[in-house]
């Protein structure tokens, strides 16, 4: 691997990060960040992946405050129970649960769905929030590059396995919602359909950006398929901005140093970072609206490549093969 091939992905990702921070700083100075007032969500059920800490924890907490029954999906039983206890104490609600789900394992994801279905709950909101960032090159238990496997394929399989419940739950006046958390780094991501596992040219920055780009393509294709079926389920993507969370533990040391001096001013808190996810989950103006990229509670344009429908379909078909599920596209076309 050439030195240039290692440096360029990192440069693109860090450049995108700087632009997002500047946008975020402008937004903070002009408007500030605050959670809008939403009506009670009593009777609704939500699953939040990665709800043990960071943005996911804040998202789960605020949804619980709104009266939702929240299931936190995470890969640490002890930390999960601690998160449930803390949310219950802060929100004075008992409707918070933890279910084990390791997105790095297709077997674990299937077991999670099996356990969730045993409860016979409806599912009004699925928030695909969990993720890893810029980790060293390594594989999941199924042999996938970790960014692609955890950030993208894990959520791809989870969403597909829960679609039947989402479709049963959604109705004309109250669509079920799938919200997927991407990142501004998707703008500089490149999807290599010939090497989705980054085996020939690995860069932590490039692999992370590719996984976030794949999530946007997946969400748009999912929305198209749901709309073609006439399902009362919508799919949207959210960009939380640059948030002060533990995800930065693997970044370059100089980035960590800069962050340590500037996070209080330039970075969002996890509560602030969760605002757009919460907005996408419950905002009445988004009822029945799908296929959108949301940033600061506004619909904005994602990267040009994300609107390539042929690429969306190719990625979807290849993803189905990887996780071992039927391709919904074939079913929709046949009907």
């Amino acid at each position: 691997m050439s030195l240039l091939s290692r440096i360029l992905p990192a440069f693109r990702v860090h450049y995108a990060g700087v632009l997002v921070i500047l946008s975020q700083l402008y937004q903070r100075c002009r408007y500030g960040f605050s959670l809008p007032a939403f009506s009670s969500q009593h009777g609704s059920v939500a699953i939040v992946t990665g709800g043990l800490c960071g943005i996911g924890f804040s998202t789960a907490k605020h949804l619980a405050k709104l009266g939702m029954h929240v299931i936190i999906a995470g890969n640490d039983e002890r930390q999960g129970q601690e998160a449930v206890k803390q949310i219950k104490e802060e929100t004075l609600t008992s409707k918070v649960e933890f279910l084990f789900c390791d997105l790095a394992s297709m077997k674990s994801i299937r077991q999670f769905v099996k356990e969730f279905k045993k409860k016979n709950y409806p599912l009004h909101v699925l928030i695909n929030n969990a993720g890893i960032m810029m980790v060293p090159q390594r594989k999941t238990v199924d042999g996938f590059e970790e960014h692609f496997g955890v950030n993208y394929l894990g959520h791809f399989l989870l969403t597909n396995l829960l679609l039947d419940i989402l479709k049963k739950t959604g109705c004309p006046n109250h669509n079920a919602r799938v919200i997927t958390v991407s990142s501004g780094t998707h703008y500089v991501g490149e999807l290599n359909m010939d090497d989705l596992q980054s085996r020939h040219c690995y860069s932590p920055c490039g692999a992370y950006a590719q996984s976030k780009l794949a999530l946007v393509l997946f969400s748009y294709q999912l929305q198209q398929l749901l709309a073609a079926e006439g399902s009362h389920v919508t799919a949207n993507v959210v960009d939380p901005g640059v948030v002060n969370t533990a995800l930065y533990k693997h970044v370059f040391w100089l980035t960590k140093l800069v962050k340590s001096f500037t996070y209080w001013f330039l970075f969002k808190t996890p509560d602030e970072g969760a605002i757009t996810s919460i907005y996408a989950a419950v905002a009445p103006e988004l009822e029945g609206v799908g296929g959108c990229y949301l940033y600061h509670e506004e619909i904005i344009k994602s990267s040009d490549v994300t609107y390539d429908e042929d690429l969306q379909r190719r990625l979807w078909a290849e993803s189905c093969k990887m996780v071992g599920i039927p391709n919904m596209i074939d079913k929709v076309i046949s009907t």
Side-chain angles (χ1 to χ4, degrees):
M1 186 190 305
S2 69
L3 180 62
L4 186 62
S5 66
R6 289 178 178 271
I7 293 175
L8 281 179
F11 175 78
R12 287 197 300 266
V13 171
H14 287 298
Y15 175 69
V18 170
L19 292 179
V20 171
I21 287 176
L22 291 175
S23 168
Q24 195 162 281
L25 181 58
Y26 170 78
Q27 186 81 8
R28 183 188 294 276
C29 293
R30 185 171 182 183
Y31 304 111
F33 298 124
S34 60
L35 184 65
F38 293 114
S39 60
S40 170
Q41 301 296 312
H42 282 283
S44 292
V45 177
I47 292 175
V48 181
T49 68
L52 307 182
C53 58
I55 298 172
F57 176 81
S58 292
T59 301
K61 177 180 66 178
H62 285 294
L63 292 180
K65 281 183 179 179
L66 291 173
M68 275 195 181
H69 186 150
V70 179
I71 289 86
I72 294 173
N75 62 357
D76 187 308
E77 182 74 32
R78 183 194 60 79
Q79 195 176 356
Q81 296 303 336
E82 280 296 318
V84 168
K85 179 183 176 182
Q86 186 176 341
I87 291 174
K88 285 182 176 180
E89 290 174 351
E90 290 188 30
T91 63
L92 302 179
T93 180
S94 61
K95 293 183 177 180
V96 186
E97 300 179 52
F98 171 79
L99 282 179
F100 185 88
C101 182
D102 183 359
L103 289 167
S105 164
M106 301 295 113
K107 180 180 179 181
S108 178
I109 294 167
R110 291 180 182 277
Q111 184 62 32
F112 168 85
V113 173
K114 183 179 179 180
E115 293 300 317
F116 177 76
K117 288 185 175 182
K118 284 182 182 178
K119 295 178 179 292
N120 291 316
Y121 292 155
L123 181 57
H124 299 85
V125 176
L126 169 62
I127 300 186
N128 293 321
N129 165 86
I132 57 171
M133 185 170 76
M134 300 184 196
V135 300
Q137 186 173 17
R138 55 197 188 197
K139 295 179 180 180
T140 68
V141 296
D142 301 293
F144 302 120
E145 187 278 315
E146 197 167 20
H147 290 97
F148 196 77
V150 173
N151 295 355
Y152 171 64
L153 282 178
H155 284 121
F156 178 85
L157 177 61
L158 178 66
T159 302
N160 274 277
L161 295 180
L162 290 171
L163 276 180
D164 56 344
I165 303 178
L166 287 159
K167 291 174 183 178
K168 290 177 183 177
T169 302
C171 59
N173 296 322
H174 190 186
N175 280 232
R177 304 185 186 191
V178 178
I179 295 101
T180 298
V181 180
S182 183
S183 162
T185 56
H186 92 271
Y187 286 101
V188 295
E190 295 180 358
L191 194 73
N192 185 349
M193 290 299 299
D194 296 322
D195 187 21
L196 291 173
Q197 306 305 319
S198 304
R199 293 190 176 100
H200 301 301
C201 182
Y202 183 79
S203 150
C205 297
Y208 174 70
Q210 176 182 245
S211 71
K212 291 300 181 178
L213 173 59
L215 286 169
V216 183
L217 289 159
F218 150 67
S219 298
Y220 289 171
Q221 182 61 37
L222 175 61
Q223 175 60 33
Q224 287 197 35
L225 293 170
L226 292 168
E229 287 184 334
S231 301
H232 299 300
V233 183
T234 58
N236 287 306
V237 191
V238 302
D239 180 349
V242 180
V243 185
N244 182 29
T245 71
L247 283 178
Y248 287 87
K249 63 184 177 183
H250 292 291
V251 299
F252 184 55
W253 69 266
L254 184 58
T255 303
K256 288 182 181 178
L257 182 64
V258 172
K259 175 179 175 289
S260 68
F261 287 106
T262 62
Y263 75 89
W264 60 273
F265 182 56
L266 297 179
F267 286 57
K268 291 182 180 180
T269 65
D271 281 347
E272 291 171 339
I275 290 174
T276 305
S277 293
I278 299 160
Y279 174 80
V282 302
E285 57 266 34
L286 291 179
E287 176 57 44
V289 178
C292 301
Y293 188 90
L294 299 161
Y295 179 60
H296 289 319
E297 302 86 77
E298 294 181 355
I299 298 173
I300 67 170
K301 186 175 181 294
S302 54
S303 67
D304 290 339
V305 71
T306 59
Y307 300 101
D308 184 333
E309 295 184 5
D310 179 62
L311 184 59
Q312 292 172 15
R313 288 190 291 269
R314 288 171 60 204
L315 175 63
W316 185 284
E318 187 62 27
S319 302
C320 288
K321 292 177 184 176
M322 288 179 175
V323 301
I325 60 172
N327 189 344
M328 271 179 64
I329 296 176
D330 297 333
K331 180 182 177 181
V332 171
I333 291 175
S334 66
T335 56

